[in-house]
Amino acid sequence: MNSDCLQMLRRVTWTLIFAALPTGVTLAAANNCAGLEPLPAVLEVSEGMQTAIRSPVAITRLAVGDPKIVDVHLNGNDSYLLTGIAPGATSLMVWSACSSSPRQSMVFVQGKAAQSLLGSQLPPSESPLLPSQVQTDIRFVEVSRTKLKEASTSIFGKSGNFLFGSPGSVPGVTVTPGQVGNLAPNIPLNNGSFNIGIGGGNVLGVINALEGSGFAYTLARPSLVALSGQSASFLAGGEVPIPVPSSGSNNISIEYKEFGIRLTLTPTVIGSNRIALKVAPEVSELDYNNGVIISSTRVPALIVRRTDTSISLADGESFVISGLISTNNSSNVRKLPGLGNIPIIGAFFRNSTINREEKELLMVVTPHLVQPLAANAQLPSLPGEPLRNYDPNWFRMYFLEDGDFDRRSGLSQ
């Protein structure tokens, strides 16, 4: 009997076996659907070796893409046995009473020669039969630069029935010719600029000039370790309470919104030195300037920088998964019509402001295949370890302590 006939006979046999499953088995499986999880993205078995896999619910059907690579055998009604036939890769699909759609996984079969060679050279912790573990490093870098230029002249004068005032120089009171309430004009100084005052008596003039620039740099470097095919998440931040009024009543409930540095990822080792990575880093911070008032409570807004993507890299390679260059320019000129247009002299009747803001944002991802430290191995020094028992005496604290703690702690050093 040739191989094609054997495969046809095997399929007919499986069909008869699953058709004979009692209805009670299907009902029992449906009761355990809450505990049903996706299959591992990758299953590994060596040539000539077997791996038993148990299911929390009853199995109704099994199928492999290429039976010449892997053979699958039902072991009871809630487990199955994988047997490596030949080196290669194929797909596995498992049906249950919980869903009409199968759960899927990739099965890799390693040859006997390769397994023998690797098994003789690698320690048990680096055995390829163990699930691979991936450490993913994310570097989030944001640079912000600002530039501000301002040049203006403020003039205030009054005499008899004459009054002249630049914007903002007259107090907010009723103004009549020859009288400005009982208050002095607002012109003498502008605390937000450099001032040069001219005049006295009934006429005052101040030249305001300002040029400023700023620089901000933000760096976040979260790292997370996860098994191949498994999802993991990381959050360093907090939760801000949000009051939520109830509809049709005066009751208020509280909901919490997370913020900070968040990392969610799912790594999958698809080769000896290849990693498929689904990664979603996010950095958020509170912004009270753009907040809202809810039930007499100021609720801050959130400034969020977020990326969600899938990539493929080798061990140790890096990828810029997102980037942004943003430039905002604004210019504003306020002047007295006519006089503000006169060359040279018109400068005394104008107010000019230029504001420029530039932002650059990068997110870089670097995955690494990692193994745990050996049993009883020396652990690396923890951050702040030299300061854990730091307790100087009075003499050292008074005469010798210089406040230089940077050299004593921190992985970032």
Side-chain angles (χ1 to χ4, degrees):
M1 184 179 294
N2 58 30
S3 59
D4 294 337
C5 294
L6 289 175
Q7 293 179 16
M8 181 64 70
L9 180 60
R10 183 181 294 125
R11 293 192 183 97
V12 173
T13 303
W14 280 119
T15 303
L16 294 175
I17 291 175
F18 288 121
L21 287 176
T23 305
V25 172
T26 303
L27 295 177
N31 294 332
N32 295 328
C33 289
L36 187 63
E37 298 180 354
L39 288 176
V42 176
L43 295 174
E44 296 181 357
V45 61
S46 298
E47 181 182 1
M49 304 298 291
Q50 293 180 319
T51 299
I53 301 177
R54 182 171 294 276
S55 173
V57 299
I59 301 172
T60 60
R61 184 183 173 191
L62 292 170
V64 292
D66 190 349
K68 296 180 181 180
I69 295 178
V70 173
D71 184 29
V72 61
H73 176 73
L74 187 66
N75 187 17
N77 62 0
D78 60 351
S79 66
Y80 54 93
L81 197 65
L82 290 177
T83 302
I85 303 299
T90 186
S91 61
L92 169 68
M93 294 188 291
V94 181
W95 284 265
S96 67
C98 294
S99 174
S100 59
S101 301
R103 295 179 295 155
Q104 301 186 35
S105 180
M106 290 295 297
V107 182
F108 290 91
V109 178
Q110 188 176 49
K112 292 182 179 179
Q115 172 60 24
S116 176
L117 179 62
L118 291 174
S120 62
Q121 294 179 351
L122 299 178
S125 63
E126 298 181 6
S127 172
L129 296 179
L130 295 178
S132 300
Q133 300 178 86
V134 181
Q135 174 183 322
T136 304
D137 300 330
I138 300 290
R139 282 173 288 176
F140 168 87
V141 181
E142 183 179 30
V143 179
S144 177
R145 293 180 291 268
T146 59
K147 189 75 172 179
L148 172 65
K149 292 183 178 181
E150 181 178 357
S152 63
T153 301
S154 298
I155 299 177
F156 178 84
K158 67 180 183 66
S159 177
N161 294 327
F162 172 79
L163 173 66
F164 180 87
S166 299
S169 63
V170 178
V173 296
T174 302
V175 178
T176 59
Q179 181 179 358
V180 187
N182 295 321
L183 300 177
N186 292 332
I187 182 178
L189 290 178
N190 182 351
N191 291 331
S193 304
F194 292 92
N195 305 271
I196 300 176
I198 303 173
N202 293 330
V203 179
L204 293 175
V206 176
I207 297 176
N208 310 120
L210 178 65
E211 180 174 347
S213 59
F215 175 83
Y217 180 82
T218 302
L219 171 66
R221 299 187 63 177
S223 296
L224 191 60
V225 177
L227 288 174
S228 174
Q230 303 295 317
S231 298
S233 61
F234 166 90
L235 174 65
E239 295 184 345
V240 57
I242 307 296
V244 180
S246 300
S247 177
S249 66
N250 295 326
N251 296 330
I252 297 177
S253 60
I254 299 297
E255 294 183 0
Y256 288 87
K257 178 69 175 179
E258 295 179 344
F259 70 95
I261 301 172
R262 172 188 292 277
L263 176 59
T264 303
L265 60 89
T266 305
T268 303
V269 180
I270 57 177
S272 60
N273 194 34
R274 204 70 188 171
I275 303 169
L277 185 64
K278 179 175 177 58
V279 59
E282 175 182 311
V283 177
S284 59
E285 57 185 287
L286 301 180
D287 180 14
Y288 285 92
N289 294 329
N290 297 314
V292 296
I293 303 296
I294 302 178
S295 300
S296 303
T297 302
R298 175 169 289 276
V299 179
L302 288 177
I303 300 175
V304 181
R305 286 81 89 199
R306 171 189 301 130
T307 297
D308 189 346
T309 186
S310 297
I311 54 176
S312 176
L313 306 94
D315 181 11
E317 288 184 342
S318 297
F319 227 126
V320 178
I321 59 175
S322 65
L324 170 68
I325 297 178
S326 174
T327 302
N328 294 322
N329 291 328
S330 63
S331 178
N332 184 29
V333 177
R334 296 185 299 172
K335 61 185 178 180
L336 181 66
L339 292 178
N341 296 327
I342 301 175
I344 308 300
I345 299 177
F348 295 98
F349 303 94
R350 283 197 306 262
N351 186 338
S352 302
T353 303
I354 297 177
N355 195 353
R356 179 183 179 90
E357 182 178 5
E358 296 179 348
K359 285 187 177 181
E360 295 182 17
L361 173 64
L362 286 178
M363 289 188 183
V364 184
V365 60
T366 306
H368 301 278
L369 292 173
V370 295
Q371 293 291 344
L373 293 175
N376 301 321
Q378 180 67 35
L379 296 178
S381 179
L382 298 177
E385 188 68 19
L387 293 176
R388 184 166 62 90
N389 298 319
Y390 180 67
D391 186 17
N393 55 33
W394 183 91
F395 177 84
R396 176 178 178 81
M397 187 173 179
Y398 186 81
F399 289 101
L400 301 178
E401 184 56 73
D402 59 357
D404 186 6
F405 300 104
D406 292 339
R407 66 177 184 271
R408 302 176 183 173
S409 65
L411 292 177
S412 61
Q413 304 301 320

